[in-house]
Amino acid sequence: MTFEENLARLEAIAQSLERDDLPLEKALVLFEEGITVLKGATEALSRAEARVATLVERANGVLEVAHDDD
């Protein structure tokens, strides 16, 4: 799943968990899924951050980390 898909699923899970009529067993299943989806979102975000902070060799041969604001 993409980061955006993970985020959308987390929002849906949160909305479901906020319902008053949700049985405890269903809430636990959703909570477990939420933890798994959160891990996926965190990994996707880490991959994106790694891509933004790629090494770029400058003309003088010095390696620098290029950030998205460069």
Side-chain angles (χ1 to χ4, degrees):
M1 276 197 201
T2 66
F3 177 77
E4 292 80 7
E5 291 168 335
N6 282 320
L7 189 58
R9 182 62 189 140
L10 282 172
E11 289 174 358
I13 289 170
Q15 288 177 353
S16 294
L17 288 172
E18 290 173 354
R19 289 187 15 221
D20 291 335
D21 62 340
L22 187 66
L24 178 60
E25 190 58 37
K26 177 68 175 171
L28 289 172
V29 169
L30 283 171
F31 182 78
E32 289 174 3
E33 180 187 355
I35 296 298
T36 301
V37 173
L38 179 60
K39 182 179 178 186
T42 301
E43 290 170 356
L45 187 57
S46 292
R47 286 191 303 272
E49 288 173 344
R51 288 180 63 188
V52 170
T54 56
L55 290 174
V56 177
E57 186 169 355
R58 301 290 183 187
N60 62 4
V62 176
L63 292 177
E64 298 176 7
V65 176
H67 297 280
D68 58 354
D69 60 337
D70 281 354

